[in-house]
Amino acid sequence: MGQGRDGEWQQWRARRPPSRQIHLDTAAAGRSSAETLRVTAAHAEREAVVGAYVAQAEAAPVLAEGRAALAGLLGVAADGLAFTESATAARDALLAAWPLPAGGTVAVAPSEWGPNLFAFSSRGLALTELAVGSDGAVDLERLARLLADQPPALVHLTQVASHRGLVQPVAAAAALCRAAGVPLWVDAAQALGHADTATGADAVYATSRKWLAGPRGVGLLGVSEPGWERLRVSASPLELSSLPDGTSPVRLLESHEANVAGRVGLCAAVRQYLAAGPARVRQRLAEAGRLTRETLAGLPGWEVVGPAGAPAAITGLRPAAGQDVGGVRDRLLAEHGILTTASHPARAPRDMTGPLLRVSPHVDVTAGDLGKLRDALAAMS
Amino acid sequence: MGQGRDGEWQQWRARRPPSRQIHLDTAAAGRSSAETLRVTAAHAEREAVVGAYVAQAEAAPVLAEGRAALAGLLGVAADGLAFTESATAARDALLAAWPLPAGGTVAVAPSEWGPNLFAFSSRGLALTELAVGSDGAVDLERLARLLADQPPALVHLTQVASHRGLVQPVAAAAALCRAAGVPLWVDAAQALGHADTATGADAVYATSRKWLAGPRGVGLLGVSEPGWERLRVSASPLELSSLPDGTSPVRLLESHEANVAGRVGLCAAVRQYLAAGPARVRQRLAEAGRLTRETLAGLPGWEVVGPAGAPAAITGLRPAAGQDVGGVRDRLLAEHGILTTASHPARAPRDMTGPLLRVSPHVDVTAGDLGKLRDALAAMS
């Protein structure tokens, strides 16, 4: 990640509204490009000029193209994709539509996102923990054994953890689950635009605002075709009257009244992502994560939470000297103009033993940015 | 509504992006002002500059002021208001949180919004029809008798009908329901910004995009304080960690990850509405509805669906000569630049016997606009 490599990605930065801040908080929300912002605002203005539903009809080709692109990224058919309001809304729509046996068991990794654990438990589902290696990634041999010996009702994986650089082997798990006839659902909120999310899972949900740097208020649900018949979906006669015959059950889960400007903005963000090249972005984000961990390794008072070589641009820093992580996050922003997250342990209660400082740059991060973070943290200790 | 009166409201039109179209479709979505569009886009840009959650924290005073204003309009405490994604999302959150007895009866007027009927039925609730006068408005004496003799589990009223000018006497019904100990919920999707929605109902839900002319993708749920203890709400430990102690159960129903730019835009739209004067807007919208019905009365081939004097700017036109309403709507738009709605009977299946052409101007409508609609319809017959 020398100057030359940094330079390649400065166009990405130049396409965003200028900021005097060092933004290391993509895992919360990425910085939208000026083009994405323009397209979103232009759709909202068009709604005011010609009427909201006329504007939506005009945008149908853009929405269809974006839908197909997003479906491709999630590894489902275009008709297997539903726009929702957030990843959480998508998860809840899936839980409502895909019946799981009462008291059934959901198998999760210890790194599972806390609100997902809560969503399962509060619906009366039991949780069981998948065996993982020392890095926290699911042990595939032991998964295969579990699927054979004591198949759960569902395997649920958060593909890229929220609090540290940890990527689950979702594609391999999907193959095992499919062979065993056990459904696999994937929370790809931190994975879309970051890792390869076309994994063969039965259902996958994600959000616009993080690694794709699309607008807030837009989420996605993808269900692969074999799963469609599992869905129990109902739509009111009025809703059905506005949809073509043969509309897929997944499309019936799409919210009808919605932040359409945001959806149009997401379609623009996806176009930009595809133009940048998903494989190239993935490689760069992996590099950004490794550089973050290398730069911060050995920093007095902080411990980089592994694995160091994870192909993810999220890094967790554990305070080793009793620092108040919330206070450090606030001072980094106020005194140094560096944006990070103070991660509460409820994000991943089975993996986190205390708060972590989360650092999550996008592709435009430079060695200089990360050096400033290191210096700022060092100066505070 | 002479030239002078029209002139008063041309400022309202001048504050919108210019349009060559005659927009008579507020009941679908109002035309946002340039200021509302600007504020919404500016928030989205600010998210990209300083980070989405920093921008949200900066907007906290604006959101608090808007919340208080909207709560006031809905007649609930500020802590009794939750931002949601749509009126539908608000209704569904209410249905999930406020337990109704299994198989319990919901009393509705024949003019009830079809998707609400479907939502009740699909949750196993029974429907009973309230007695109404010849205009379709609930008969209050017979409501009082029903509440005494055979109280339903819930009374649900759609305050302003979607398909024709019909306003239910919600405040009087609320007093009767409260005295009888029967909860009253109100669908104010067509009422907020149009009628007086501070009615004393136990719960009320509405949308941003129609009469307030706020952004799409934002809805509202209000629950009056006596109802708070009825709510069964759970929140994940992570969500609770981010909320102050003593957060009201209604606020726990608010979606956490959201179209915040749209909420900020709605707050701007509400400020503009309050500046225009709710009573003055209500009076003008009632006048716009009356003028619509007067202008279209006696038009060959069309029958204005009553009541003629309803204080609402929504008018339904019944095709009396076998016209295809969808085709008429399309030709009005394509050939005359006049935007209306073709209303499918599933909008209000207990009141509509066939499709209606819906005409729903905002305050800026002129006698000339309505004359053009009349002429266009006459030319088509």
Side-chain angles (χ1 to χ4, degrees):
Chain A
M1 197 141 151
Q3 276 308 109
R5 301 300 300 280
D6 286 357
E8 275 184 55
W9 292 96
Q10 290 317 295
Q11 272 304 311
W12 191 95
R13 184 173 289 190
R15 292 195 185 100
R16 269 83 197 143
S19 174
R20 285 157 55 187
Q21 180 177 287
I22 298 176
H23 187 282
L24 304 175
D25 204 23
T26 314
R31 293 180 62 209
S32 288
S33 72
E35 170 73 3
T36 297
L37 293 166
R38 188 191 64 72
V39 164
T40 306
H43 184 83
E45 177 162 341
R46 188 77 185 149
E47 290 180 333
V49 171
V50 296
Y53 298 89
V54 176
Q56 183 170 351
E58 289 175 349
V62 166
L63 289 164
E65 189 194 332
R67 180 189 299 279
L70 288 159
L73 292 174
L74 296 179
V76 300
D79 277 347
L81 188 101
F83 285 110
T84 66
E85 320 315 323
S86 64
T88 300
R91 180 202 67 205
D92 290 349
L94 183 63
L95 276 164
W98 185 310
L100 294 171
T105 296
V106 182
V108 296
S111 59
E112 183 59 66
W113 170 240
N116 291 342
L117 300 172
F118 180 80
F120 297 134
S121 298
S122 64
R123 281 163 182 81
L125 297 163
L127 293 166
T128 188
E129 218 165 82
L130 294 166
V132 293
S134 59
D135 57 356
V138 166
D139 181 321
L140 292 165
E141 277 185 32
R142 293 184 63 186
L143 171 61
R145 223 174 305 149
L146 178 83
L147 292 169
D149 297 347
Q150 228 175 342
L154 174 71
V155 176
H156 186 280
L157 293 175
T158 289
Q159 186 172 358
V160 175
S162 163
H163 60 296
R164 65 180 175 108
L166 173 55
V167 183
Q168 296 294 348
V170 170
L176 294 174
C177 288
R178 180 140 301 173
V182 173
L184 171 67
W185 296 358
V186 172
D187 178 344
Q190 293 291 2
L192 181 61
H194 189 184
D196 185 350
T197 49
T199 58
D202 296 282
V204 54
Y205 52 91
T207 187
S208 153
R209 79 184 186 283
K210 296 180 188 285
W211 300 91
L212 289 179
R216 290 185 76 177
V218 185
L220 303 161
L221 172 62
V223 179
S224 68
E225 212 156 336
W228 294 6
E229 64 184 28
R230 303 287 290 266
L231 299 176
R232 298 286 167 270
V233 181
S234 66
S236 76
L238 181 59
E239 200 180 340
L240 290 175
S241 77
S242 71
L243 295 170
D245 283 346
T247 295
S248 83
V250 188
R251 290 292 290 278
L252 293 180
L253 294 174
E254 182 159 303
S255 43
H256 191 69
E257 182 43 44
N259 169 19
V260 174
R263 292 181 183 175
V264 170
L266 171 59
C267 293
V270 171
R271 280 196 301 277
Q272 295 157 41
Y273 172 69
L274 294 178
R280 201 164 147 263
V281 170
R282 279 202 293 278
Q283 189 184 0
R284 173 66 174 188
L285 288 173
E287 190 178 45
R290 279 196 303 276
L291 184 70
T292 304
R293 293 184 278 275
E294 282 164 24
T295 305
L296 301 173
L299 182 68
W302 294 94
E303 185 190 339
V304 173
V305 181
I314 299 176
T315 295
L317 277 183
R318 183 179 294 130
Q323 303 96 315
D324 166 33
V325 171
V328 169
R329 178 266 176 205
D330 292 348
R331 286 185 59 194
L332 282 173
L333 183 59
E335 298 170 16
H336 302 274
I338 301 175
L339 184 63
T340 59
T341 313
S343 285
H344 191 281
R347 276 178 189 270
R350 291 167 176 250
D351 193 54
M352 293 173 73
T353 53
L356 296 174
L357 186 71
R358 182 175 66 180
V359 180
S360 54
H362 213 301
V363 291
D364 60 324
V365 72
T366 65
D369 295 336
L370 294 167
K372 283 181 192 159
L373 171 63
R374 184 188 165 95
D375 293 348
L377 286 171
M380 269 185 226
S381 64
Chain B
M1 196 146 151
Q3 277 309 108
R5 302 298 301 281
D6 286 357
E8 274 183 55
W9 293 96
Q10 291 316 297
Q11 271 305 308
W12 191 95
R13 184 173 289 191
R15 291 194 186 100
R16 267 85 196 141
S19 173
R20 285 157 53 187
Q21 179 176 287
I22 298 177
H23 186 283
L24 304 175
D25 204 23
T26 314
R31 292 180 63 210
S32 288
S33 72
E35 170 72 3
T36 297
L37 293 165
R38 189 192 62 72
V39 163
T40 305
H43 184 82
E45 178 163 342
R46 189 74 186 151
E47 291 180 332
V49 172
V50 297
Y53 298 90
V54 176
Q56 183 170 351
E58 287 175 350
V62 167
L63 289 164
E65 189 193 332
R67 180 189 299 279
L70 288 159
L73 292 173
L74 295 179
V76 301
D79 277 346
L81 188 102
F83 286 109
T84 66
E85 320 314 324
S86 64
T88 300
R91 180 202 66 203
D92 289 349
L94 184 61
L95 276 165
W98 185 310
L100 294 171
T105 297
V106 183
V108 297
S111 59
E112 183 60 65
W113 170 241
N116 291 340
L117 299 173
F118 180 80
F120 298 133
S121 298
S122 64
R123 281 163 182 81
L125 297 163
L127 293 167
T128 188
E129 219 166 80
L130 294 166
V132 293
S134 59
D135 57 356
V138 166
D139 180 320
L140 291 165
E141 277 184 33
R142 293 184 63 187
L143 171 62
R145 222 175 306 147
L146 178 83
L147 292 169
D149 296 347
Q150 229 176 341
L154 174 72
V155 175
H156 186 279
L157 293 175
T158 289
Q159 186 172 359
V160 175
S162 163
H163 59 296
R164 65 180 176 108
L166 173 55
V167 183
Q168 296 293 348
V170 171
L176 294 174
C177 288
R178 181 140 301 171
V182 172
L184 171 67
W185 297 357
V186 172
D187 178 343
Q190 292 292 1
L192 181 61
H194 190 183
D196 184 351
T197 48
T199 58
D202 295 283
V204 53
Y205 52 92
T207 188
S208 152
R209 80 182 184 282
K210 295 179 189 286
W211 301 91
L212 289 179
R216 289 186 76 177
V218 185
L220 302 160
L221 172 62
V223 180
S224 68
E225 211 156 339
W228 295 6
E229 64 185 27
R230 304 286 290 265
L231 300 175
R232 298 287 167 271
V233 181
S234 67
S236 76
L238 181 59
E239 200 180 340
L240 290 175
S241 77
S242 70
L243 295 169
D245 283 346
T247 295
S248 83
V250 188
R251 290 291 291 276
L252 293 180
L253 294 174
E254 182 159 304
S255 43
H256 190 69
E257 184 43 45
N259 169 18
V260 174
R263 292 180 183 176
V264 170
L266 171 58
C267 292
V270 172
R271 281 196 301 277
Q272 295 156 41
Y273 172 68
L274 294 178
R280 202 165 146 263
V281 170
R282 279 200 294 278
Q283 189 185 359
R284 172 66 175 188
L285 289 173
E287 189 177 46
R290 279 196 304 275
L291 184 70
T292 303
R293 292 183 279 275
E294 282 165 24
T295 305
L296 301 174
L299 183 68
W302 294 94
E303 184 191 337
V304 173
V305 181
I314 299 177
T315 294
L317 276 184
R318 183 180 294 131
Q323 304 96 314
D324 165 34
V325 173
V328 170
R329 176 264 176 207
D330 291 349
R331 285 185 60 194
L332 282 175
L333 183 59
E335 298 170 17
H336 302 274
I338 301 175
L339 184 64
T340 58
T341 313
S343 285
H344 191 282
R347 278 178 189 269
R350 291 167 176 250
D351 194 54
M352 293 173 73
T353 53
L356 296 174
L357 186 70
R358 182 176 67 180
V359 181
S360 54
H362 213 303
V363 291
D364 59 325
V365 73
T366 65
D369 295 336
L370 294 167
K372 284 181 191 160
L373 171 64
R374 185 189 164 93
D375 293 348
L377 286 171
M380 269 185 229
S381 65

